[in-house]
């Protein structure tokens, strides 16, 4: 059974007891108080509900209260008189009542008693009422004041409780012990509202106190409970409500959305008050309480509508954008996201009956749709931009937002003082439009930004009016066909003819271009065909002038300008250009401007159609070159100028000419940054200045993997970069089969490798910790290079090493099998020492071969020997010296002895034989040493291919792009 008692300090509590029955079945005076730890002794008398009640009640025990709220051990006899005060009681009593109410709600069918004064727990049996009682509060106002008292009904009968020794057991909600019944009440009456009337008939409110008392007490009482009034009015009113969503500025200048409900002229914040809200009207000596019944169910439905639109409820009536969409957004952006949300959903909110408001006296934000209308119209050298932005009903020239868009300023002040919020998406959508447009009063783009213009129109962000011919630049298949020069010896393949036509199209509009075809697809031939056509057109022009001269002029030489073209290339390609020109365009006069004994008379250039020179010569003679105006300047292997701050890049950009072209199978070798210098050469200003390009494109693309920026960059360069792969256009090329051959290290080789790896691992990891990744790169590169050399053959780092190398043995074994079948093989390594080991072996075993590295003087003679001498089956080549400029289709096997940082370089090496003219299948063997850094290089290359697939054929600089995680993985 459970006994209710009044503690001297804690107030009413309840305790659990086991009481022994006497032989007659009545309560004896033998009983035990029970707790959770002793209840098991009486398990047969208890059920699960009893255990729950016992647990709740022992948390209200005085000993438990002392431990919980005082934290120090103390006897109750000392604690309560000395330490327990009113301040502590205000905390402890609600804690007790919460548990007491839970216990009473569980104990409806349990034996409950009131404890006697002598401590008998079974003194008087009490019961819990079967249903809640109701309270009616009476107010009677007369000339002296207002009398106030409550009446209580239970089972539809009024019960007397005043002067009946009733006790308030709990305050909120009220439980009252009256005679032998525990009553609880409808509508959560507070006990303190009944307490004064246990021993008092009424409370008198004097006239002087009525205004305050009516406003603070009676108003809230009418909201929550039944009230009967005489001497003043209570009017119940019903209205069709309207939901109001108000933009409000908080103390920290942030915006929030606050939901109100308007019933007639009455406005109530969401979650405020009860289902009845009361306002007081006091006029003269008359009081009127307007009792407005609210539909909480309807209000809840309106809240659900907001939630479905993406809002979430905060404290009170405040709402915010759903956190899942704004959790990573800065506070200022959250502010603007609220306004954007309102503008986006304005019509839908209004359709659902919501009224949108803003507080008076604060910033007034425009709530409404915003859109931009852009029209591009082609002019002679420009695209004129006609752009208007619409903020609600306002029409603003878009150029007025230039500073806002470029500096990402969200707030734009409208003519009426309202503030329009520029949508976040506009900064990325239109930032490039302002960055590349003219900065004066004219709003226009250079024609070279046709890619940007087409990007806007394809995304339906703008309309475009332009020449049909210019539009063909974006639709490559429709470019006008140009006949081949009569003096061109040979025939262009269909894709080469398309490239030739593209060259002419660029020339017509004075654009520069980058021919980025795969290695071996004939970039040289397409270029020579263009130059032959240029000469033929010039000759035709000269003939027309001569005919005119017969009638009018004596001297016409000044009318035909020299059309000298400068082609700049690596030294290793000079012979290739000479050879191809002799074969396909023998009528073009060519001057080779190279060598230490070169004639530095630049005026000689005018006598020739083509001047061939090298990047090194341009760097040395830049002051001479700058005085000559070329017709075309063409850079072969243009990735050489990828570093915009290099002396070669700076020297090349001082050259003067009418047209510019660049040729490269890999215009991007290290990073997206490589693009800038080359695009700046062919079309200055296309990608903005270098700082802008790095901030706007390179860094977001490489560091943040920003696909949107990548797409925009691609749109800018696409019209000026023509790339075809062998797979696309050279379908007649035979199959190319790649095979990775994994070699085990020899026992001694593995020992040397592990010792070296351990040494560098400790050194590099220490540097990473102490100095960071940037200052560790030199040691990292040194360590990786040694490990790669050992993976090939330890003799590369220690000439005294006398044991075997697993890879060296496997390469020789594979090579012997291939040579026996009569095949020719190209063997590439980046380490000259590695090639030297094979030379030594071949010499000792009488295997004939040719050899080429950076020191080879007679390159073409060596190449021709391999091509024409069938007895020579092996060509040892340094990958750096022989990766470009060689045509070796006589070979049908390629050995890559060590993986290069840049897979594009490996591909160039393979393309020495897998190119136009090859009739046999080409087999590529890549030799990789197991459990070495070479395996890690392959894995990392696979992870870093995204940029290569996005832009032309990109490979990131291996060492520079390594993260600390990558380095630790390599050194595992």
């Amino acid at each position: 059974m459970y006994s209710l008692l009044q503690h001297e300090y804690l107030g009413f509590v309840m305790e659990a007891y086991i009481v022994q029955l006497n032989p007659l079945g009545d309560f004896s005076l033998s009983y035990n108080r029970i707790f959770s730890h002793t209840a098991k002794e009486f398990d047969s008398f208890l059920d699960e509900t009893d255990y729950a009640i016992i647990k709740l009640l022992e948390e209200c025990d005085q000993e438990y209260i002392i431990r919980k709220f005082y934290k120090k051990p103390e006897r109750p006899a000392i604690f309560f008189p000395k330490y327990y005060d009113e301040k502590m009681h205000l905390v402890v009593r609600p804690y007790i009542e919460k548990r007491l109410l839970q216990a009473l709600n569980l104990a409806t069918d349990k034996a409950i008693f009131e404890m006697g004064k002598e401590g008998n727990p079974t003194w008087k049996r009490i019961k819990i009422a079967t249903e809640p009682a109701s309270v009616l509060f009476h107010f009677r106002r007369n000339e002296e004041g207002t009398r106030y008292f409550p009446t209580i009904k239970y089972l539809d009968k009024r019960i007397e409780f005043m002067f009946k020794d009733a006790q308030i057991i709990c305050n909120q909600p009220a439980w009252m012990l009256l005679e032998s019944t525990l009553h609880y009440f409808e509508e959560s009456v507070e006990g303190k509202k009944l307490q004064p009337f246990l021993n008092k008939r009424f409370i008198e409110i004097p006239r002087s106190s009525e205004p305050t008392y009516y406003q603070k007490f009676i108003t809230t009482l009418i909201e929550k409970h039944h009230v009967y009034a005489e001497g003043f009015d209570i009017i119940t009113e019903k209205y069709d409500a309207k939901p109001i969503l108000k933009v409000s500025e908080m103390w920290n200048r942030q915006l929030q959305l606050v939901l109100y409900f308007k019933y007639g002229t009455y406005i109530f914040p969401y979650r405020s008050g009860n289902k009845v809200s009361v306002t007081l009207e006091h006029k003269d000596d008359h009081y009127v309480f307007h009792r407005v019944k609210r539909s909480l169910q309807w209000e809840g439905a309106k809240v659900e509508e907001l939630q479905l639109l993406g809002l979430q409820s905060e404290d009170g009536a405040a709402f915010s954008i759903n956190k899942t969409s704004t959790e990573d957004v800065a506070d200022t952006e959250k502010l603007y996201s609220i306004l954007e949300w309102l503008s986006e959903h304005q019509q839908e909110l209004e359709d659902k009956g919501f009224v949108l408001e803003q507080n008076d006296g604060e910033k007034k934000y425009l709530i409404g749709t915003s859109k931009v209308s852009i029209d591009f119209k082609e002019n002679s050298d420009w695209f004129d931009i006609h752009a208007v932005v619409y903020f609600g009903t306002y029409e603003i020239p878009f150029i007025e937002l230039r500073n806002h868009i470029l500096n990402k300023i969200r707030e734009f002040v409208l003519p009426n003082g309202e503030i329009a919020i520029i949508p976040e998406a506009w900064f990325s959508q239109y930032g490039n439009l302002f960055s590349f447009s003219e900065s004066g009063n004219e709003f226009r783009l250079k024609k070279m930004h046709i890619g940007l213009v087409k990007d806007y129109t394809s995304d339906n962000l703008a309309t475009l009016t332009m020449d049909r011919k210019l539009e063909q630049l974006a639709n490559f298949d429709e470019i006008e066909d140009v006949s081949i020069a009569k003096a061109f010896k040979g025939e262009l393949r269909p894709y080469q003819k398309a490239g030739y036509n593209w060259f002419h199209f660029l020339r017509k509009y004075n654009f520069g271009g980058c021919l980025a075809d795969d290695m071996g697809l004939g970039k040289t031939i397409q270029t020579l065909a263009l130059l032959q056509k240029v000469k033929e057109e010039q000759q035709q022009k000269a003939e027309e002038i001569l005919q005119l001269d017969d009638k009018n002029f004596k001297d016409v030489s000044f009318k035909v300008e020299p059309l000298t073209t400068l082609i700049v290339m690596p030294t290793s390609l000079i012979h290739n250009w000479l050879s191809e020109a002799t074969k396909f365009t023998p009528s073009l006069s060519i001057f080779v401007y190279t060598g230490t004994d070169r004639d530095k008379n630049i005026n000689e250039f005018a006598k020739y159609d083509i001047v061939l020179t090298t990047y090194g010569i341009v760097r040395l003679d830049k002051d001479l070159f700058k005085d000559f105006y070329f017709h075309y300047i063409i850079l072969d292997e243009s990735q050489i100028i990828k570093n915009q701050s290099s002396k070669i890049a700076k020297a090349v950009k001082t050259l003067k000419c009418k047209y510019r072209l660049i040729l490269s199978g890999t215009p991007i070798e290290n990073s997206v940054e490589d693009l800038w210098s080359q695009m700046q050469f062919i079309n200055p200003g296309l990608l903005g200045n270098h700082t802008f390009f790095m901030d706007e494109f390179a860094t977001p693309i490489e560091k943040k993997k920003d696909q949107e920026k990548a797409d925009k960059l691609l749109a800018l360069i696409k019209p000026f970069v023509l790339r075809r792969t062998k797979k696309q256009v050279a379908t007649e090329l035979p199959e190319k089969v790649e095979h990775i051959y994994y070699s085990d290290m020899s026992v001694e080789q593995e020992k040397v490798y592990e010792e070296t790896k351990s040494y560098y691992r400790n050194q590099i990891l220490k540097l990473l910790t102490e100095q960071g990744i940037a200052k560790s790169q030199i040691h990292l590169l040194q360590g990786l290079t040694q490990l790669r050399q050992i993976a090939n053959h330890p003799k590369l780092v220690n000439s005294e090493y006398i044991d075997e190398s697993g890879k060296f043995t496997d390469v020789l074994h594979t090579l012997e099998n291939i040579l026996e079948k009569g095949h020719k093989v190209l063997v590439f390594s980046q380490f000259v020492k590695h090639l030297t080991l094979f030379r030594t072996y071949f010499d000792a075993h009488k295997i004939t071969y040719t050899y080429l590295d950076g020191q080879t003087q007679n390159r073409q003679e060596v190449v021709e020997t391999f091509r024409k001498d069938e007895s020579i089956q092996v060509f040892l080549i340094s990958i750096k010296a022989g990766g470009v400029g060689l045509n070796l289709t006589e070979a049908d096997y390629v050995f890559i002895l060590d993986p290069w940082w840049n897979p594009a370089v490996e591909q160039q090496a393979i393309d020495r034989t897998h190119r136009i003219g090859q009739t046999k299948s080409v087999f590529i063997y890549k030799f990789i040493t197991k459990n070495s850094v070479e395996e890690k290089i392959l894995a990392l290359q696979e992870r870093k291919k995204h940029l290569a697939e996005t832009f032309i054929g990109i490979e990131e600089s291996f060492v520079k792009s390594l993260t600390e995680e990558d380095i630790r993985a390599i050194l595992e």
Side-chain angles (χ1 to χ4, degrees), residues 96-246:
I96 291 175
E97 286 194 2
K98 180 180 178 181
R99 285 150 183 79
L100 182 57
L101 287 169
Q102 289 177 279
L104 288 171
N105 285 320
L106 290 172
T108 53
D109 60 348
K110 300 293 181 181
I112 302 177
F113 291 80
E114 184 179 358
M115 183 176 286
K117 292 181 180 179
E118 295 80 14
N120 177 8
T122 60
W123 176 65
K124 186 201 307 187
R125 181 128 190 184
I126 58 178
K127 62 180 180 179
I128 296 176
T130 56
E131 63 180 57
S134 63
V135 178
L136 178 63
F137 293 94
H138 299 258
F139 290 89
R140 293 175 180 171
R141 184 172 186 250
N142 54 37
E143 293 180 357
E144 286 76 33
T146 302
R147 286 187 175 184
Y148 153 53
F149 62 92
T151 56
I152 297 175
K153 269 190 177 182
Y154 174 60
L155 297 176
D156 291 328
K157 293 181 180 179
R158 180 170 172 172
I159 59 174
E160 295 296 329
F161 70 98
M162 298 176 180
F163 305 101
K164 295 288 186 180
D165 293 326
Q167 301 283 345
I168 300 299
I169 304 302
C170 290
N171 178 57
Q172 195 168 4
W175 278 61
M176 183 176 71
L177 178 59
L178 177 60
E179 296 176 336
S180 298
T181 303
L182 273 172
H183 290 280
Y184 58 99
F185 298 89
E186 293 176 348
E187 301 172 337
S188 302
V189 178
E190 286 183 273
K192 66 182 181 181
K193 287 186 171 61
L194 301 177
Q195 183 75 43
F197 303 99
L198 299 182
N199 295 295
K200 183 183 289 189
R201 291 290 180 189
F202 57 83
I203 292 176
E204 186 86 36
I205 303 134
R207 280 284 181 129
S208 60
S209 301
E210 279 182 348
T212 302
Y213 197 84
Y214 275 44
Q215 180 64 55
K216 292 187 175 180
F217 181 74
I218 301 180
T219 298
T220 56
L221 199 68
I222 295 172
E223 282 185 346
K224 298 179 181 179
H225 305 294
H226 301 293
V227 174
Y228 173 79
E230 294 178 14
F232 59 85
D233 296 323
I234 300 175
I235 302 174
T236 299
E237 303 175 22
K238 289 186 178 181
Y239 299 96
D240 291 330
K242 284 187 177 181
I244 299 172
L245 206 52
K246 181 174 284 190

Side-chain angles (χ1 to χ4, degrees), residues 662-814:
I662 59 176
L663 314 174
S664 175
T666 54
I668 304 179
E669 284 190 328
N670 294 334
S671 70
V672 176
E673 185 182 0
D674 294 353
L675 267 179
W676 185 84
S677 184
Q678 294 171 80
M679 293 297 115
Q680 182 71 3
F681 173 76
I682 57 173
N683 290 315
L686 175 66
L687 301 180
N689 63 43
H690 184 258
T691 301
F692 169 81
F693 176 78
M694 293 301 294
D695 293 342
E696 183 70 13
F697 295 112
T699 300
I701 291 170
E702 294 186 23
K703 302 296 184 185
K704 301 176 184 177
K705 312 302 179 190
D706 190 326
Q707 189 58 45
E708 185 179 0
K709 295 289 188 184
D711 292 341
K712 289 189 180 299
L713 177 57
L714 190 58
L716 280 166
I717 67 171
K718 189 176 180 181
F720 311 108
V721 179
L722 179 59
R723 174 165 178 77
R724 282 80 58 88
T725 64
K726 289 175 184 172
K727 189 174 181 180
Q728 288 174 311
V729 297
T731 53
E732 77 278 14
L733 270 179
E735 183 182 17
K736 178 176 69 174
V737 181
E738 293 193 14
H739 176 71
I740 297 178
Y741 194 109
Y742 288 96
S743 298
D744 291 312
M745 295 188 207
S746 68
V747 175
E748 285 301 316
Q749 181 184 15
E750 185 173 10
K751 181 180 178 183
V752 173
Y753 184 90
E754 289 300 324
E755 288 175 353
T756 306
K757 185 175 78 171
S758 179
Y759 168 76
Y760 277 107
R761 180 205 288 127
N762 295 336
Q763 191 180 59
I764 291 168
L765 293 183
K766 182 180 178 183
L767 283 170
L768 280 175
T769 303
E770 295 177 354
Q771 300 183 22
I773 190 169
K775 294 184 178 179
S776 307
Q777 287 188 352
I778 293 176
H779 293 85
L780 174 61
L781 185 58
Q782 182 182 8
L784 290 178
T785 301
Q786 282 212 12
L787 291 175
R788 295 176 66 233
Q789 289 175 323
I790 295 168
N792 282 328
H793 201 305
K795 213 172 182 66
L796 271 64
V797 297
N798 180 10
S799 59
E800 304 299 320
Y801 181 84
I802 57 174
D803 288 288
E804 295 182 343
S805 156
K807 182 189 286 190
F808 189 77
T809 302
D810 289 342
V811 171
L812 289 176
H813 176 73
T814 308

Side-chain angles (χ1 to χ4, degrees), residues 93 188 262 267 339 393 399 404 409 483 586 605 697 699 707:
R93 186 59 201 173
S188 302
K262 187 174 184 180
I267 297 177
L339 296 170
T393 59
I399 198 168
H404 287 69
I409 301 170
S483 62
F605 290 176
F697 295 112
T699 300
Q707 189 58 45

Side-chain angles (χ1 to χ4, degrees), residues 910-970:
I910 294 166
D911 285 338
R912 297 313 96 217
T913 181
H914 192 252
R915 61 195 294 127
I916 300 302
Q918 180 59 268
T919 59
K920 296 168 285 190
S921 294
V922 176
F923 296 89
I924 298 98
Y925 285 82
K926 294 182 179 181
F927 290 88
I928 302 295
T929 298
K930 280 185 183 178
N931 301 319
S932 77
V933 67
E934 293 185 337
E935 282 190 310
K936 305 292 175 66
I937 291 172
L938 286 185
L940 285 167
Q941 285 176 351
E942 286 301 312
R943 285 166 47 191
K944 297 174 182 290
K945 279 185 177 178
H946 174 69
L947 290 180
E949 295 168 356
T950 304
F951 299 103
I952 313 168
I954 296 174
E955 184 276 339
E956 297 176 301
S957 174
F958 187 85
V959 176
K960 287 184 179 179
S961 67
L962 289 179
T963 64
E964 186 169 332
E965 182 182 349
D966 294 334
I967 295 170
R968 294 182 186 276
I970 287 172

Side-chain angles (χ1 to χ4, degrees), residues 17-74:
Y17 287 88
I18 287 288
V19 182
Q20 186 174 341
L21 302 180
N22 62 26
L24 296 176
D26 296 324
F27 294 117
S28 73
L29 296 177
S30 180
Y31 50 81
N32 283 331
R33 188 175 173 197
I34 55 174
F35 300 91
S36 296
H37 64 280
T38 61
K40 288 292 182 184
E41 298 178 32
F42 309 100
D43 188 63
S44 60
F45 299 101
L46 306 174
D47 58 23
E48 288 184 8
T49 303
D50 286 309
Y51 280 106
I53 296 172
I54 291 167
K55 179 72 167 61
L56 288 167
L57 296 184
E58 72 181 359
E59 291 178 0
C60 303
D61 180 71
Q62 61 180 7
E63 303 265 358
Y64 189 95
I65 294 296
I66 294 171
R67 290 197 303 273
K68 182 173 181 64
F69 291 95
Y70 188 60
K71 309 296 185 186
K72 297 177 184 177
E74 188 62 85

Side-chain angles (χ1 to χ4, degrees), residues 527-562:
T527 306
L528 288 170
L530 166 71
L531 298 180
Q532 184 69 67
K533 184 68 173 180
V534 168
K535 180 172 182 178
E536 186 176 281
E537 289 176 351
Q538 184 71 349
Q539 288 173 336
Q540 185 177 350
K541 180 179 178 181
E543 290 173 3
E544 292 172 355
I545 291 176
L546 286 172
Q547 291 174 4
L548 187 65
D549 177 59
D550 290 340
K551 300 176 182 179
N552 302 299
F553 299 103
K554 297 296 183 185
D555 182 10
V556 296
S557 60
F558 68 90
K559 295 185 181 66
V560 182
E561 63 185 36

